[in-house]
Amino acid sequence: MRQIIHFDIDAFFASVEVLMDPSLKGKPVIVGGVGKRGVVSTASYEARKFGIHSAMSTQTARRLCPHGIYLHGSYEKYKDYSRRVFEIIASIGAPYEQVSIDEAYLDVTDLDASPTELALYLKAEVHKQTGLTISVGISYNKFLAKLASDWKKPNGLFEIRPEEALDFLSKLPIIKIHGLGKKSAEKLGAVGIYDVSQLQQMPEEYLAYFLGSAWAQEIYQRIRGVDHRPVVTYHERKSYGKETTFPEDVIDLPLLRKVVDKYALKLLDQLRQKNLRASTVTLKIKYADFHQVTRSHTLEHSFDQYTAIEATLSHLMEQIEPLRPVRLIGVSFSSIEENSVVQLSLFE
Ligand code: TTP
Ligand code: MG
């Protein structure tokens, strides 16, 4: 059984601002665009009590919490804190996969210390060296470890043991299921399905009706506590990717899709020329407020043709927040393998 840790820094940007100016401690601090059309990047937990959250317009936030402290923030500062946290993460010697500026998975299966000891060490060390608090989740796969780190935020530590997983999952609303896009959740909500316990009753074919067959298969497994995705060490990853920063921010989803398709076709061309195939598709989005997300999907069979990944791209695109200006978009293919073996056996 694997041992996976997921950690996520608490109210990251806002926490850094409090560290820079300790007089802000305990106050509702909101970081983001402060102009008329600005968007909230994040808010301190004190500010969240007023209903403020990431991606909300700053105007709305100001209505909810007029006495809040609104800061523009500085991305360079956050990158520097992130780098310091990841130095601590790297120092424990486990493979780790960074998924955003403030979160990562670690595969600690082969370490001598127990996951709980390691988690406590990381929490203490990060706090000592940076002043930040992190929330840590422990479980036997990535999906559950992430749910666990979210469960006791902020400054949490929570483990989901194999024998507890099904029960834990059955008590969740479906919006907690990472990988289920907003649109899918809406479709399910329209037929009265809100809870994971209801999803668990559905046969896979019925699930496929809402999610498409590739995703249905994956979600069907996840809500039963099964997730075989490996922790992929970034440095080992060989990938083919292409991205662009738009001269002006874009909210037009069909336009974004066009760009993604164009890049995907180009990259597939490159793969075929080199006689390679890939298995993983990753979409990267940086919003106008510099918040960056990457979403990946690994297919069961490797691909070098567009038709094989069309549905996957659609699903990944579904995770883009509508109406939120996008600054950069990129697509990449990884888990690369040689095509020659497959071809040989075909022509033999
Ligand atoms: P998150 O980890 O999602 O949020 P958080 O760290 O502020 O709060 P918590 O983890 O305690 O729930 O994102 C990390 C940082 O990324 C966040 O501090 C600011 C930035 N961010 C944005 O700029 N816009 C967003 O929509 C989100 C979700 C995050
Ligand atoms: Mg965070």
Side-chain angles (χ1 to χ4, degrees):
M1 182 92 41
R2 290 187 298 162
Q3 303 278 14
I4 309 293
I5 286 179
H6 178 263
F7 81 87
D8 187 309
I9 304 173
D10 300 319
F12 181 37
F13 293 3
S15 302
V16 171
E17 294 302 331
V18 174
L19 289 170
M20 311 301 291
D21 176 1
S23 76
L24 298 177
K25 204 176 157 83
K27 296 189 179 149
V29 175
I30 298 98
V31 180
V34 289
K36 251 196 148 56
R37 292 158 53 81
V39 171
V40 173
S41 290
T42 193
S44 66
Y45 278 77
E46 290 81 2
R48 291 183 200 193
K49 289 185 195 142
F50 295 87
I52 298 174
H53 57 77
S54 298
M56 170 182 275
S57 82
T58 304
Q59 257 182 335
T60 306
R62 281 189 198 277
R63 253 203 320 273
L64 293 171
C65 184
H67 65 287
I69 293 146
Y70 291 81
L71 302 169
H72 192 263
S74 114
Y75 202 70
E76 287 309 309
K77 237 166 21 195
Y78 310 141
K79 274 215 303 233
D80 188 50
Y81 269 90
S82 170
R83 188 186 48 73
R84 285 164 58 193
V85 170
F86 276 92
E87 269 170 20
I88 299 167
I89 301 303
S91 74
I92 74 164
Y96 69 93
E97 176 180 349
Q98 180 169 0
V99 277
S100 81
I101 192 166
D102 82 329
E103 71 179 298
Y105 296 98
L106 291 81
D107 187 333
V108 298
T109 315
D110 294 332
L111 296 194
D112 285 333
S114 76
T116 308
E117 284 168 345
L118 290 165
L120 287 169
Y121 169 80
L122 288 177
K123 284 170 72 70
E125 206 55 27
V126 167
H127 191 252
K128 192 171 94 192
Q129 290 194 32
T130 67
L132 294 165
T133 61
I134 61 176
S135 292
V136 183
I138 302 170
S139 198
Y140 59 93
N141 64 41
K142 285 164 80 170
F143 174 65
L144 290 166
K146 188 173 165 81
L147 280 173
S149 75
D150 199 41
W151 199 241
K152 297 277 173 187
K153 251 183 178 300
N155 203 7
L157 171 57
F158 190 64
E159 176 170 3
I160 302 174
R161 294 175 206 281
E163 64 275 16
E164 301 161 344
L166 268 185
D167 191 46
F168 180 87
L169 287 165
S170 69
K171 294 190 172 117
L172 297 177
I174 59 174
I175 45 163
K176 288 276 180 191
I177 302 300
H178 195 62
L180 260 187
K182 272 193 188 141
K183 275 194 204 153
S184 305
E186 272 170 23
K187 269 195 238 168
L188 288 160
V191 294
I193 294 167
Y194 302 101
D195 297 323
V196 173
S197 59
Q198 291 172 291
L199 271 195
Q200 285 171 335
Q201 311 288 325
M202 286 169 71
E204 197 181 316
E205 303 79 49
Y206 192 33
L207 210 52
Y209 173 77
F210 292 98
L211 309 175
S213 56
W215 283 95
Q217 200 178 26
E218 187 136 344
I219 299 295
Y220 185 86
Q221 298 288 331
R222 285 194 197 173
I223 58 179
R224 285 166 175 74
V226 177
D227 172 16
H228 296 300
R229 287 175 302 158
V231 170
V232 184
T233 309
Y234 184 72
H235 313 282
E236 286 171 4
R237 182 151 59 196
K238 207 168 156 277
S239 71
Y240 284 72
K242 198 165 161 48
E243 62 181 49
T244 188
T245 302
F246 297 111
E248 274 176 41
D249 300 333
V250 173
I251 47 171
D252 178 353
L253 282 171
L255 172 63
L256 292 173
R257 177 61 191 253
K258 245 190 223 161
V259 174
V260 165
D261 279 345
K262 193 173 91 186
Y263 289 175
L265 287 167
K266 260 199 193 138
L267 294 168
L268 287 167
D269 251 354
Q270 292 175 11
L271 283 181
R272 285 193 299 264
Q273 272 170 27
K274 298 205 165 131
N275 209 20
L276 298 172
R277 300 170 70 83
S279 293
T280 303
V281 184
T282 300
L283 186 71
K284 170 173 163 187
I285 299 130
K286 198 187 270 178
Y287 292 105
D289 64 355
F290 283 91
H291 180 55
Q292 179 175 310
V293 283
T294 57
R295 293 281 178 259
S296 298
H297 182 62
T298 300
L299 282 84
E300 205 173 332
H301 302 290
S302 63
F303 58 83
D304 65 358
Q305 297 293 333
Y306 179 77
T307 46
I309 56 164
E310 193 172 358
T312 301
L313 286 174
S314 299
H315 190 89
L316 294 173
M317 293 286 303
E318 209 190 272
Q319 324 245 347
I320 300 179
E321 288 182 44
L323 302 181
R324 189 164 178 194
V326 171
R327 176 185 162 80
L328 171 153
I329 196 156
V331 60
S332 65
F333 301 142
S334 53
S335 319
I336 308 287
E337 65 186 28
E338 301 262 348
N339 200 11
S340 47
V341 187
V342 186
Q343 296 241 319
L344 264 184
S345 56
L346 274 178
F347 291 110
E348 255 165 16

